[in-house]
Amino acid sequence: MLNYTRVENLSASDVARLRGRYEPLTESVRALIDATIRTEADDDAVAAAKAEIDSATARLRSSARDGSFGIQFGADGDPMPWGNAVIGVRNPTAPPLVISRRADGSVRSDFYLGAAFEGPPGHVHGGVAAKILDHVLGDAVSTPGIHRLTGTLTVRYLRLTPLGRLSAEARISYTEGVKTYAVGHIADDDGPTVEAQAVFIEPRWARE
Amino acid sequence: MLNYTRVENLSASDVARLRGRYEPLTESVRALIDATIRTEADDDAVAAAKAEIDSATARLRSSARDGSFGIQFGADGDPMPWGNAVIGVRNPTAPPLVISRRADGSVRSDFYLGAAFEGPPGHVHGGVAAKILDHVLGDAVSTPGIHRLTGTLTVRYLRLTPLGRLSAEARISYTEGVKTYAVGHIADDDGPTVEAQAVFIEPRWARE
């Protein structure tokens, strides 16, 4: 069984305060990641930057949880999937995606992928597209309190996806017992670049 | 057509020197990413860390290429896919995977996934598993000078993949004209957790 932790003494305003503390830090690390990939700085500048980075890491490690972030909930039920590799506001490797649900039940996200997400030169890594689609399709089939896990994901690459501003959409296609089928895609300004379909299964422990 | 850049005046020893300059920097940023997710430091410590990070970013940006890293080659043909989202030694969001080819033509990588790769609490994000499998299967079907792009990738989740030490393997299953089929999996100490199959297509521009 997965460990979803409810932090009993954390009010909604506490959750907002913690987000205000850690989200700008995470944004700074995202900018650093981009600079680390693109820099042409010389030995001295790189050594000076590395010393500052190592100092920052030591400060942050002076008080840190053991293991990964997990998924925590505040006392008021506010979910904090802040470490998540796709949507985590405290995970510098996440774009992060902000996913919104539309009136028809489908979900959509507009996002930007820069140098950190590259595969073929100037283009999104095919695996990154698969990563994003897995999450967006999973979001389309999920409702609060029901944790659905991917059974099978199929990704079809129509053409290369350029780095830059992109969008993703997904919706449920149909449900059959404990299985829910979803479809979706990633698009640039000229239309879809990658399509996906997936079947999600409500795990046995979540049905009991 | 994709832009693979050969840097004419970059010898093998220049490539080694550049790697020696930037790889330790990237490792430091990976440690910072982990600390950023797991820290419970207070406002003052976070503000001090953020100031150091922003200073490091400014130093690195003082001399930086436009756009993403791309794939460059030294004058001696040494490939530098250093910005790649899965294997890039200069991409802090890459684990990075080191993939080796065995005598039978199959490929294998042993790697570690920590807090930055989380989806379900304590476990690898399903999309991260798909991202890694896309790359490893792609590596299995590639030979120097032939750039194969994923056509369709199917990922089957057998059980949750725990964060920690993992391995991935892939091999060609068969080839049919311009299409090459590959299979592979990710495994922990107890065996496979995620399986994948994919078809790769040699793009038209690479056939001419």
Side-chain angles (χ1 to χ4, degrees):
Chain A
M1 167 118 188
L2 296 172
N3 183 25
Y4 292 82
T5 310
R6 184 177 289 269
V7 186
E8 294 297 348
N9 56 354
L10 211 61
S11 70
S13 70
D14 290 333
V15 171
R17 181 178 49 78
L18 289 174
R19 184 166 175 156
R21 179 191 294 166
Y22 295 116
E23 195 170 22
L25 169 71
T26 312
E27 285 293 341
S28 281
V29 179
R30 288 195 187 105
L32 175 64
I33 289 168
D34 185 75
T36 298
I37 296 169
R38 294 171 48 216
T39 189
E40 297 185 322
D42 63 17
D43 282 337
D44 288 348
V46 168
K50 184 177 184 302
E52 288 171 320
I53 293 162
D54 291 341
S55 170
T57 300
R59 289 181 198 276
L60 298 175
R61 280 187 178 159
S62 66
S63 172
R65 78 184 64 247
D66 290 334
S68 57
F69 191 88
I71 297 180
Q72 303 174 33
F73 290 86
D76 300 342
D78 311 276
M80 298 184 286
W82 290 353
N84 187 280
V86 174
I87 61 167
V89 296
R90 284 192 55 179
N91 187 332
T93 75
L97 258 63
V98 178
I99 302 172
S100 55
R101 191 169 292 270
R102 294 184 288 194
D104 65 1
S106 66
V107 297
R108 179 185 167 100
S109 181
D110 293 276
F111 54 95
Y112 181 89
L113 298 183
F117 302 94
E118 188 174 48
H123 294 82
V124 176
H125 193 293
V128 170
K131 178 172 94 159
I132 287 171
L133 285 164
D134 173 75
H135 195 100
V136 175
L137 269 66
D139 202 81
V141 305
S142 294
T143 48
I146 298 185
H147 314 292
R148 288 208 177 85
L149 299 174
T150 318
T152 302
L153 170 73
T154 300
V155 183
R156 196 158 71 93
Y157 297 88
L158 308 176
R159 57 184 169 91
L160 289 175
T161 304
L163 293 174
R165 296 194 182 283
L166 301 164
S167 65
E169 294 186 28
R171 62 181 172 80
I172 291 175
S173 49
Y174 64 101
T175 299
E176 195 177 73
V178 295
K179 293 183 178 177
T180 304
Y181 295 80
V183 295
H185 65 261
I186 290 174
D188 66 6
D189 286 346
D190 296 325
T193 59
V194 189
E195 293 175 343
Q197 58 188 76
V199 53
F200 293 86
I201 298 161
E202 193 175 340
R204 196 172 294 114
W205 57 259
R207 284 179 244 154
E208 286 161 359
Chain B
M1 168 120 187
L2 297 170
N3 182 24
Y4 292 82
T5 309
R6 184 177 289 269
V7 187
E8 294 298 347
N9 57 353
L10 211 60
S11 70
S13 70
D14 289 333
V15 171
R17 181 179 50 77
L18 289 174
R19 183 165 176 156
R21 177 191 295 166
Y22 295 117
E23 194 169 24
L25 169 71
T26 312
E27 285 294 341
S28 280
V29 179
R30 289 195 186 105
L32 174 65
I33 289 168
D34 185 76
T36 298
I37 296 170
R38 294 169 47 214
T39 190
E40 298 184 321
D42 64 18
D43 282 336
D44 289 348
V46 169
K50 185 177 183 304
E52 288 172 319
I53 293 162
D54 292 341
S55 171
T57 301
R59 288 182 198 276
L60 297 175
R61 280 185 176 160
S62 65
S63 172
R65 77 184 66 245
D66 291 333
S68 57
F69 191 86
I71 297 180
Q72 302 174 36
F73 290 86
D76 301 343
D78 311 276
M80 298 186 285
W82 290 353
N84 186 280
V86 174
I87 61 167
V89 296
R90 284 193 55 179
N91 187 332
T93 75
L97 257 63
V98 178
I99 303 172
S100 54
R101 190 169 293 270
R102 296 184 288 195
D104 65 1
S106 67
V107 297
R108 179 185 167 99
S109 180
D110 293 277
F111 54 95
Y112 179 89
L113 297 183
F117 301 94
E118 187 174 48
H123 295 82
V124 176
H125 192 292
V128 170
K131 177 172 94 159
I132 288 171
L133 284 164
D134 173 75
H135 196 98
V136 175
L137 269 67
D139 203 79
V141 305
S142 293
T143 49
I146 299 185
H147 315 291
R148 288 209 177 84
L149 299 173
T150 319
T152 302
L153 170 73
T154 300
V155 183
R156 195 159 70 94
Y157 298 89
L158 308 176
R159 57 184 169 89
L160 289 176
T161 304
L163 292 174
R165 295 194 183 282
L166 300 164
S167 65
E169 294 185 29
R171 62 181 172 81
I172 291 176
S173 49
Y174 64 102
T175 298
E176 197 177 71
V178 296
K179 294 183 178 177
T180 304
Y181 295 80
V183 295
H185 65 260
I186 289 174
D188 66 5
D189 286 346
D190 296 326
T193 60
V194 189
E195 292 175 344
Q197 58 188 75
V199 53
F200 294 85
I201 299 162
E202 193 176 340
R204 196 172 294 115
W205 56 260
R207 283 179 245 154
E208 288 160 0

